[in-house]
Amino acid sequence: MLTDTGGRLLKAFVHPANEHDKWGGQALLLGMDLSLWPRVRKLFVDWGYRGLREVARGLGLELEVVARPYAGVRGVWVREGEEVPEIPREGGFKPLPKRWVVERTFAWMGRNRRLGKDYEYHPEVTEAWMYLGMIRLLVKRLARAA
């Protein structure tokens, strides 16, 4: 899912669960028409999409991975006799900057009964329902503002 900084859906791509997120992200980026969003210059992505730097660079976009400082670090090699550095671990939930925007969009989408569970047979149908869910949300906001 690609959103703007306000959490509004720009583009969605649904892929099978047995496919890595990186490949889904690559299909999403390559399927984008950047002329529709001329102000998009930077992408904030989760740790699983860190392999998309070259794809983003090819599209003229900057990619920033938003992750905890210790993400992906399970241990370190040290020479015998050297002291083992401490890997910082923080307990509890702490929202990461920029990443919560997409998580909030998922929460908004989950309010739609049809998007509350993943039970569509065709991924294209889920994508269509995602767009319809966002349209419903924006229309409700416009009606409330009027």
Side-chain angles (χ1 to χ4, degrees):
M1 179 184 300
L2 180 69
T3 67
D4 63 4
T5 53
R8 291 169 293 274
L9 179 66
L10 299 178
K11 182 95 171 121
F13 179 74
V14 178
H15 59 86
N18 65 350
E19 189 176 291
H20 193 277
D21 289 343
K22 178 178 134 181
W23 304 119
Q26 183 175 0
L28 177 77
L29 289 177
L30 294 176
M32 283 177 43
D33 181 8
L34 289 174
S35 66
L36 297 173
W37 306 292
R39 294 174 53 185
V40 173
R41 294 204 172 59
K42 188 170 191 172
L43 302 172
F44 295 99
V45 298
D46 194 356
W47 181 256
Y49 300 99
R50 67 190 179 280
L52 295 176
R53 288 191 197 280
E54 293 304 317
V55 175
R57 195 174 297 138
L59 294 171
L61 301 170
E62 180 185 348
L63 189 122
E64 182 179 326
V65 177
V66 180
R68 298 199 188 294
Y70 60 84
V73 178
R74 293 189 179 93
V76 293
W77 288 97
V78 293
R79 291 190 178 109
E80 194 172 329
E82 287 185 9
E83 196 167 318
V84 178
E86 186 170 325
I87 299 171
R89 304 269 186 215
E90 293 182 24
F93 174 77
K94 291 181 181 58
L96 295 173
K98 303 294 181 193
R99 197 159 101 188
W100 62 270
V101 174
V102 174
E103 299 299 331
R104 181 182 61 187
T105 304
F106 277 123
W108 290 340
M109 294 294 205
R111 291 182 185 163
N112 294 295
R113 186 176 68 84
R114 193 73 184 248
L115 292 170
K117 302 281 184 255
D118 294 329
Y119 53 73
E120 299 293 344
Y121 187 74
H122 297 287
E124 298 83 14
V125 175
T126 303
E127 284 179 31
W129 279 108
M130 289 175 76
Y131 291 122
L132 286 170
M134 185 53 64
I135 289 169
R136 178 178 175 259
L137 176 74
L138 294 176
V139 168
K140 281 178 72 173
R141 287 182 182 176
L142 282 172
R144 211 177 317 135

